[in-house]
């Protein structure tokens, strides 16, 4: 059998070499490990293969844990040990019960103690895992598996793992004795710290399932009122006379009410169609508040005879144009000129004037607006015709609702029976579960307690022997280290007690000789400072003259721009005034035209209403005459059988006539509704087609934008490369200039240059002699 450290290293190499794009899982394991399925196979190879398969199979859950582990412990772990921590996490979470904790302890002790201390402190912290990793694990496994097979073994061995972590920390602190010796604490044992109290959740019972209340029954009965009896004793003439009397009474009341009032609240002849005038008045008022560039008025003196009591009138606001406002106005004019130039250029290149198109577009929009108005009127008429159909649909819907309600009642009864059966089944299942829990509760704790007592006793004996051996070895090592340190301290004291006397003379013409790039002596520094002062003075004079010239050019340019703006202003104001007058005239003509059309439509509507009223009045008069004629016939004929047959025949003909009229109206309504539906479907298809065109245009625009972005990225990369090359050339040029300046300075002061060279050569000799002596 292989050692534990060798097994972990073999698992790590096998996982790192695996590439799923090149080779499958089984072929990679067979190639690296050989035969692992026969009875004579190596147990170490079998274990490595099992770990390899387990890590790959539970890759998603382990990846969640590793990402959280490296996120929380980033300061204590290395990215190079990722695979090793991955293998140990698999053994801890999925194989701890199978390999038992003593064998797991050997795997942990085979690794570096400081790394294992960090790993154990994190993976056996159940509270931290429950608050972070558990919710990600629930996306992969169900709740029962996570709590019983993943977190429960960790919670059982958490106390033992904490002790092992403390031992790992003690083993990792091999330098602790050396630190104690330096601080004067050799031989003083460190007192154990008291462990912190860990909160535990109370053992609460499972809540009972909530009792679902029975649904309230909603009554579906419809109780209709009986037909009133007054329909049999009223006549049409009596109803019309009563209605006319009520109308006259209300008319007299209304006239009397407004005749006695002090002020007449309604003036219908003056308030008709005043919306446009009110809107125009409000817009003029807002525009007057925004007129800031009016010429300032002369100051008016107070007069006692004025109506306003001699108060001076308020002058409009005054402001002065600055440079920024002139530049903004010029930018606007230039933008407009560019647009005009573009239009002229397109006309020159394409030989096409867009004014005809815009005029055609305006006329078409007006036609579309008129068509929409006609469509609205047509829809309004169709809505009137569809009112009767809506009444019939409501009656049909009521009958359908009644049938659906009866079906719902039957279905609710069946669902009630099914709920009762399900509740009985859940009660039986809960009783069986209670019996099983009681049987397990009586036997399982005793067996687990006896096993834990034996394991603790064995672990205590092993730990005691190991600690005694470690303490003896540690004392021997501390004794040897202490002797070596005392000898070393004596040697250092003997070497550093005597100091040599060293006096150095100062030479202003000699540099320090350290080997820096720009070393110089004191005299050379003074000469260079004088040269720099003269150069700075000359640069300041040149810069001052360039600034003065630039300011003069700017002021001249600004003056020319202001003159150009004033000329454009005068031209623009005249053209704008002419355009406003034309627009105002056109609006007045349109208002007159719309008023005439509205009056014409009102007259048509009034004529139609009068025709309908006359028709209804004639029909009512005919019915009254017919009723009077039938009464006379009954009176003269004495109510015989022939009169009854004629009366029945007459009313039958009336019913047939009304039926034919209803069929004709129904046919007309069907034709109009069909026309409306066809128009609606055509409009919908046209809208869908327009929407698809808009989407395709957007996709095309987005594609063009993406190509433009890609092209600009490439241009930016090329520009960055060019900038880097320019910077590199500038650096080389600057370095060459610096070299030339040094040579020129050396030519101006040869004595300082020779002294600098002598000091450098002297420093090199001292450096070589010190190396040879060592």
């Amino acid at each position: 059998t292989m050692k534990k450290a060798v097994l972990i290293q073999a698992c790590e190499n096998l996982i790192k070499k695996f590439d799923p794009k090149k080779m499958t899982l089984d072929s990679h394991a067979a190639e690296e490990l050989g035969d692992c399925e026969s009875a004579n196979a190596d147990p170490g190879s079998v274990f490595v293969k099992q770990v390899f398969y387990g890590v790959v199979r539970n890759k998603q859950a382990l990846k969640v844990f590793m990402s959280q582990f490296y996120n929380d412990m980033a300061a204590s772990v290395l990215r190079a040990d990722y695979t090793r921590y991955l293998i140990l996490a698999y053994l801890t979470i999925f194989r701890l019960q199978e390999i038992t904790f003593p064998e797991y302890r050997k795997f942990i002790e085979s690794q570096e103690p400081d790394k294992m201390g960090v790993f154990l402190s994190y993976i056996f912290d159940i509270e931290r895992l429950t608050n972070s990793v558990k919710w990600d694990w629930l996306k992969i496994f169900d709740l029962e598996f996570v709590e019983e097979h993943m977190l429960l073994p960790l919670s059982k061995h958490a106390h033992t793992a904490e002790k092992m972590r403390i031992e790992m920390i003690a083993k990792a602190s091999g330098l602790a004795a050396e630190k104690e010796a330096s601080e004067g604490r050799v031989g003083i044992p460190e007192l154990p710290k008291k462990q912190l109290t860990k909160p535990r959740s109370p053992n609460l019972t499972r809540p009972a399932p909530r009792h679902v209340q029975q649904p309230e029954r909603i009554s579906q009965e419809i109780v209709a009122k009986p037909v009133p009896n007054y329909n049999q004793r009223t006549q049409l003439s009596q109803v019309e006379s009563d209605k006319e009397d009520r109308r006259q009474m209300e008319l007299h009341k209304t006239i009397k009410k407004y005749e006695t009032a002090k002020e007449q609240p309604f003036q219908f002849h003056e308030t008709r169609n005043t919306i446009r005038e009110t809107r125009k008045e409000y817009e003029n008022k807002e525009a007057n508040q925004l007129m800031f560039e009016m010429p300032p008025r002369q100051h008016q003196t107070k007069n006692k005879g004025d109506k306003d009591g001699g108060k001076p009138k308020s002058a409009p606001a005054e402001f002065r144009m600055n440079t920024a406002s002139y530049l903004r106005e010029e930018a606007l004019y230039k933008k407009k000129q560019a647009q005009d130039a573009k239009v002229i250029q397109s006309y020159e290149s394409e030989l096409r004037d867009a004014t005809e198109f815009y005029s055609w577009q305006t006329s078409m929009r007006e036609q579309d607006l008129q068509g929409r108005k006609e469509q609205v009127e047509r829809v309004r008429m169709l809505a009137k015709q569809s009112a009767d159909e809506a009444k019939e649909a409501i009656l049909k819907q009521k009958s359908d609702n009644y049938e659906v309600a009866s079906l719902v009642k039957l279905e609710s009864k069946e669902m009630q029976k099914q709920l009762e059966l399900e509740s009985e089944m859940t009660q039986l299942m809960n009783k069986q579960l209670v019996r099983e829990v009681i049987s397990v509760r009586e036997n399982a704790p005793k067996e687990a307690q006896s096993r834990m007592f034996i394991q603790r006793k064995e672990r205590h004996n092993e730990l005691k022997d190991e600690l005694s051996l470690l303490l003896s070895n540690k004392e021997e090592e501390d004794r040897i280290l202490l002797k070596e340190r005392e000898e070393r301290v004596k040697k250092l004291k003997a070497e550093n007690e005597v100091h040599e006397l060293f006096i150095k003379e100062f030479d202003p013409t000699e540099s320090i000789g350290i080997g820096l790039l720009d070393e110089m002596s004191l005299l050379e520094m003074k000469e260079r400072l004088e040269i720099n002062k003269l150069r700075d003075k000359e640069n300041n004079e040149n810069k001052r003259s360039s600034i003065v010239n630039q300011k003069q050019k700017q002021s001249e340019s600004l003056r020319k721009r202001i003159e150009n703006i004033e000329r454009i202003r005068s031209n623009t104001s005249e053209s704008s005034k002419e355009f406003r007058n034309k627009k105002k005239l056109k609006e007045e003509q349109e208002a007159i035209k719309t008023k005439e059309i509205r009056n014409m439509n009102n007259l048509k509507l009034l004529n139609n209403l009068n025709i309908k009223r006359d028709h209804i009045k004639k029909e009512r008069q005919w019915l009254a005459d017919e009723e009077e004629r039938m009464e006379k016939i009954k009176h003269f004929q004495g109510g015989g059988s022939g009169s009854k047959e004629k009366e029945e025949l007459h009313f039958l003909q009336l019913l047939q006539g009304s039926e034919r009229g209803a069929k004709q109206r129904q046919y007309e309504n069907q034709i109009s509704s069909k026309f409306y539906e066809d128009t609606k479907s055509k409009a919908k298809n046209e809208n869908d087609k327009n929407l698809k065109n808009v989407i395709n245009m957007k996709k095309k625009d987005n594609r063009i934008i993406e190509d433009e972005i890609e092209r600009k990225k490439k241009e930016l990369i090329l520009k960055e490369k060019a900038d880097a090359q320019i910077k590199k050339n500038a650096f080389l040029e600057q370095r060459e200039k610096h070299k030339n300046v040094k040579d020129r300075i050396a030519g101006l002061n040869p004595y300082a240059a020779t002294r600098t060279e002598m000091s450098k050569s002297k420093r090199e000799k001292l450096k070589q002699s010190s190396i040879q002596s060592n």
Side-chain angles (χ1 to χ4, degrees):
T1 59
M2 290 188 287
K3 293 183 179 180
K4 308 299 181 184
V6 179
L7 286 175
I8 297 294
Q9 188 64 37
C11 295
E12 187 175 355
N13 295 334
L14 184 63
I15 293 170
K16 285 183 177 179
K17 291 179 181 178
F18 175 60
D19 189 0
K21 296 180 180 179
K22 297 180 180 179
M23 195 175 295
T24 61
L25 195 68
D26 296 330
S27 58
H28 180 68
E31 183 180 351
E32 295 291 334
L33 301 175
D35 184 19
C36 297
E37 302 295 334
S38 61
N40 298 324
D42 185 14
S45 300
V46 175
F47 176 78
V48 172
K49 185 177 179 180
Q50 290 177 356
V51 172
F52 175 55
Y53 274 65
V55 169
V56 175
R57 184 172 62 251
N58 301 296
K59 182 179 179 180
Q60 192 173 2
L62 292 173
K63 189 176 180 181
V64 170
F65 170 78
M66 293 301 295
S67 63
Q68 193 67 31
F69 173 64
Y70 269 89
N71 187 26
D72 294 344
M73 312 296 288
S76 305
V77 293
L78 298 175
R79 182 59 64 176
D81 299 328
Y82 183 87
T83 310
R84 186 172 302 174
Y85 285 127
L86 183 69
I87 295 166
L88 293 173
Y90 166 71
L91 295 175
T92 308
I93 298 170
F94 295 98
R95 299 286 297 274
L96 184 58
Q97 287 182 323
E98 183 180 351
I99 63 177
T100 68
F101 196 81
E103 292 295 326
Y104 174 75
R105 180 189 183 93
K106 294 178 183 178
F107 281 108
I108 297 297
E109 290 176 348
S110 66
Q111 304 300 316
E112 297 181 15
D114 53 346
K115 296 180 180 179
M116 293 301 102
V118 175
F119 177 73
L120 292 173
S121 66
Y122 187 84
I123 199 167
F124 283 97
D125 192 353
I126 306 300
E127 186 177 356
R128 180 183 289 181
L129 295 179
T130 304
N131 294 331
S132 59
V133 187
K134 178 183 175 182
W135 303 109
D136 294 326
W137 281 346
L138 289 177
K139 299 176 183 177
I140 307 168
F141 307 110
D142 57 353
L143 180 61
E144 184 179 359
F145 181 81
V146 172
E147 289 183 347
E148 295 184 1
H149 298 279
M150 296 175 72
L151 296 178
L152 185 61
L154 298 178
S155 62
K156 287 182 179 179
H157 300 287
H159 185 65
T160 310
E162 180 65 21
K163 291 183 179 179
M164 185 169 62
R165 186 185 69 83
I166 294 171
E167 294 174 8
M168 289 288 124
I169 293 172
K171 190 184 292 185
S173 59
L175 300 176
E178 183 177 354
K179 185 177 180 181
E180 290 176 357
S182 63
E183 293 177 357
R185 295 192 293 107
V186 180
I188 301 173
E190 187 176 358
L191 297 176
K193 294 182 179 179
K194 186 177 179 181
Q195 294 184 355
L196 299 176
T197 305
K198 293 185 177 180
R200 294 182 180 178
S201 61
N203 187 14
L204 300 176
T205 58
R206 295 180 64 184
R210 186 168 59 87
H211 180 67
V212 180
Q213 297 181 358
Q214 295 295 332
E216 296 180 359
R217 292 186 178 181
I218 300 173
S219 178
Q220 301 291 335
E221 296 180 358
I222 299 173
V223 180
K225 294 182 179 180
V227 180
N229 296 325
Y230 59 81
N231 289 336
Q232 305 296 330
R233 63 174 183 269
T234 55
Q235 294 181 356
L236 186 62
S237 59
Q238 185 179 357
V239 173
E240 288 295 330
S241 62
D242 293 341
K243 187 165 66 173
E244 188 65 27
D245 295 339
R246 286 195 302 272
R247 188 183 293 114
Q248 293 296 329
M249 189 183 297
E250 291 296 329
L251 180 63
H252 290 307
K253 284 183 181 180
T254 306
I255 293 171
K256 187 176 179 182
K257 175 182 177 182
Y258 291 108
E259 283 179 352
T260 57
K262 294 181 180 179
E263 296 180 359
Q264 296 297 326
F266 304 114
Q267 297 177 359
F268 297 105
H269 63 285
E270 296 180 3
T271 59
R272 183 177 298 171
N273 297 330
T274 59
I275 297 173
R276 294 193 177 188
E277 287 75 5
T278 307
R279 186 187 295 116
K280 197 174 291 184
E281 183 180 354
Y282 181 75
E283 289 176 355
N284 293 332
K285 184 178 179 182
E286 292 291 330
N288 292 330
Q289 293 179 1
L290 299 175
M291 294 177 67
F292 299 113
E293 296 187 2
M294 291 178 64
R297 298 180 182 177
Q298 298 295 329
H299 180 70
Q300 297 180 1
T301 58
K302 297 182 181 180
N303 297 322
K304 294 182 180 181
D306 294 341
K307 294 181 179 180
D308 56 355
K311 294 182 180 179
K313 297 182 180 179
S314 60
E318 299 182 13
F319 68 97
R320 295 180 64 184
M321 297 283 285
N322 55 8
T323 305
S325 59
Y326 279 118
L327 293 176
R328 284 196 296 271
E329 189 173 358
E330 186 190 17
L332 290 174
Y333 288 140
K334 284 185 177 180
K335 186 176 180 182
K336 188 175 179 182
Q337 289 174 0
Q339 291 176 356
D340 297 339
K342 189 175 180 182
V343 172
I344 294 169
Q345 186 179 2
S346 65
Y347 178 69
E348 291 176 353
S349 60
E350 300 174 4
L351 297 177
R352 184 175 63 84
D353 191 3
T355 54
E356 295 180 0
F357 167 73
Y358 289 127
S359 62
W360 171 82
Q361 188 182 34
T362 306
S363 63
M364 289 296 105
R365 284 177 178 173
E366 292 176 355
Q367 290 181 8
D368 293 340
L369 182 61
Q370 187 66 27
R372 282 196 293 271
K373 290 180 180 178
E374 293 175 358
Q375 180 68 17
V376 169
E377 186 67 23
R378 196 160 48 246
V379 169
R380 188 170 64 85
M381 296 300 296
L382 290 173
K384 290 181 180 179
Q385 294 174 1
S386 61
D388 298 332
E389 297 177 2
K391 292 179 182 178
E392 296 177 0
I394 289 169
L395 295 174
K396 186 177 179 181
Q397 186 179 6
K398 286 182 179 179
S399 63
D400 294 341
N401 291 341
Y402 182 74
E403 294 176 0
V404 171
S406 61
L407 293 175
V408 169
K409 286 181 180 179
L410 296 174
E411 189 176 355
S412 63
K413 290 180 182 178
E414 294 295 330
M415 289 177 66
Q416 185 65 28
K417 293 179 182 178
Q418 188 177 357
L419 286 173
E420 291 176 358
L421 292 174
E422 289 179 357
S423 62
E424 291 177 0
M425 287 295 293
T426 52
Q427 287 179 2
L428 293 173
M429 291 172 66
N430 290 336
K431 288 179 181 179
Q432 182 65 25
L433 182 63
V434 168
R435 294 193 197 97
E436 293 177 359
V437 169
I438 290 171
S439 63
V440 172
R441 190 184 296 167
E442 291 176 354
N443 300 323
K446 295 179 181 179
E447 296 175 359
Q449 194 171 8
S450 62
R451 286 198 303 269
M452 288 297 294
F453 180 73
I454 296 169
Q455 290 177 2
R456 287 178 181 176
K457 191 173 181 181
E458 294 176 356
R459 203 178 301 117
H460 178 71
N461 294 330
E462 292 177 0
L463 184 62
K464 188 175 180 180
D465 297 338
E466 189 175 357
L467 285 175
S468 62
L469 181 62
L470 290 173
L471 285 174
S472 61
N473 294 335
K474 186 68 174 155
E475 289 176 357
E476 187 65 26
E477 290 176 0
D478 292 343
R479 198 178 298 110
I480 293 169
L481 287 172
L482 186 61
K483 288 182 180 179
E484 291 178 356
R485 287 175 182 169
E486 288 177 354
E487 292 294 331
R488 199 178 299 148
V489 168
K490 289 178 181 179
K491 287 181 181 180
L492 290 173
K493 284 183 179 180
E495 290 176 358
N496 298 324
E497 279 181 354
V498 180
H499 298 280
E500 295 181 0
L501 184 62
F502 180 76
I503 299 172
K504 186 177 180 181
E505 296 179 357
F506 173 69
D507 188 0
T509 61
E510 185 178 358
S511 64
I512 191 170
I514 297 175
L516 299 176
L517 185 61
D518 289 334
E519 281 186 2
M520 64 182 74
S521 62
L522 181 62
L523 293 175
E524 184 180 358
M525 182 186 70
K526 290 181 179 179
E527 291 179 1
R528 287 192 181 188
L529 287 175
E530 291 294 332
I531 293 169
N532 291 334
K533 286 180 181 178
L534 293 174
R535 188 186 298 114
D536 292 340
K537 187 176 180 181
E538 185 178 355
N539 291 334
N540 289 332
E541 291 295 331
N542 293 332
K543 192 171 183 180
R544 188 178 291 106
S545 61
S546 65
I547 289 170
V548 170
N549 294 331
Q550 187 178 3
K551 285 186 176 180
Q552 290 176 356
K553 289 180 181 179
Q554 286 179 354
S555 60
E556 183 66 22
S557 175
L558 183 61
R559 185 183 62 76
K560 291 180 180 179
R561 288 180 178 180
I562 292 171
E563 292 177 356
N564 188 24
I565 288 169
E566 293 293 339
R567 180 178 55 80
I568 294 171
R569 274 184 187 174
S570 61
N571 297 332
T572 307
S573 62
E574 293 176 359
S575 61
S576 300
K577 187 176 181 181
E578 185 178 356
F579 177 73
R580 284 196 298 270
N581 293 331
K582 289 182 180 179
K583 186 177 180 182
K584 187 176 180 181
L585 182 62
K586 187 178 179 181
E587 287 179 355
E588 290 176 355
Q589 292 176 357
E590 288 179 355
I592 294 168
K593 188 176 179 181
T594 52
K595 188 175 182 181
E596 291 175 355
I597 293 170
R598 192 182 299 112
N599 293 332
M600 191 182 298
N601 292 332
N602 290 334
L603 289 173
K604 287 181 180 179
L605 181 61
L606 185 61
N607 293 329
N608 292 331
L609 291 175
N610 291 329
I611 291 168
K612 288 182 180 180
R613 288 196 190 101
D614 295 338
H615 179 68
I616 293 169
K617 192 173 182 180
K618 289 178 181 179
E619 186 177 356
R620 288 175 180 173
Q621 185 66 33
W622 179 80
L623 289 174
D625 295 340
E626 188 68 22
E627 186 177 2
E628 187 177 356
R629 188 177 66 82
M630 293 303 298
E631 289 291 335
K632 289 179 179 180
I633 290 170
K634 287 181 185 179
H635 180 70
F636 285 113
Q637 291 181 356
S641 60
S643 63
K644 290 183 179 179
E645 291 177 358
K646 290 180 180 180
E647 184 178 356
E648 290 177 359
L649 180 62
H650 178 70
F651 277 102
L652 181 61
Q653 291 176 355
L654 290 177
L655 289 174
Q656 290 176 355
S658 62
E659 185 177 357
R660 285 194 299 272
K663 286 182 179 180
Q664 182 66 23
R665 287 194 299 273
Q666 186 178 7
Y667 177 72
E668 293 175 356
N669 291 335
Q670 287 177 355
I671 291 173
S672 60
S673 63
K674 185 178 179 182
F675 177 74
Y676 172 71
E677 292 295 332
D678 293 340
T679 307
K680 188 176 180 182
S681 63
K682 287 180 182 178
K684 185 178 179 183
N685 294 331
E686 192 67 25
N687 290 333
D688 295 339
K689 187 177 179 181
N690 294 333
L691 182 61
K692 288 181 181 178
N693 293 333
V694 170
I695 291 170
N696 293 330
M697 290 295 291
K698 283 185 179 179
K699 288 182 179 178
K700 187 176 179 181
D701 295 341
N702 292 333
R703 207 178 300 115
I704 293 169
I705 291 169
E706 289 175 358
D707 296 340
E708 185 68 19
I709 290 170
E710 190 67 26
R711 184 181 64 77
K712 288 185 178 180
K713 282 184 179 178
K714 292 180 181 178
E715 291 179 357
L716 184 62
I717 291 169
L718 294 175
K719 186 178 179 182
E720 289 178 353
K721 288 183 179 179
D723 293 342
Q725 187 65 30
I726 292 168
K727 290 179 181 178
K728 185 176 179 181
N729 296 334
F731 171 73
L732 295 174
E733 186 179 354
Q734 186 67 25
R735 188 166 67 180
E736 189 67 25
K737 287 182 180 179
H738 184 70
K739 186 178 178 182
N740 294 333
V741 169
K742 285 182 69 177
D743 295 340
R744 196 183 306 153
I745 292 171
L748 293 173
N749 193 356
Y751 177 74
T754 54
R755 295 297 297 175
T756 303
E757 292 294 332
M758 289 173 63
S759 63
K760 286 183 180 180
S761 62
K762 186 177 179 181
R763 186 187 69 246
E764 292 293 334
K765 290 179 181 179
L766 289 173
K767 189 175 180 181
Q768 291 178 1
S769 62
S770 63
I771 291 170
Q772 291 176 0
S773 63
N774 291 332

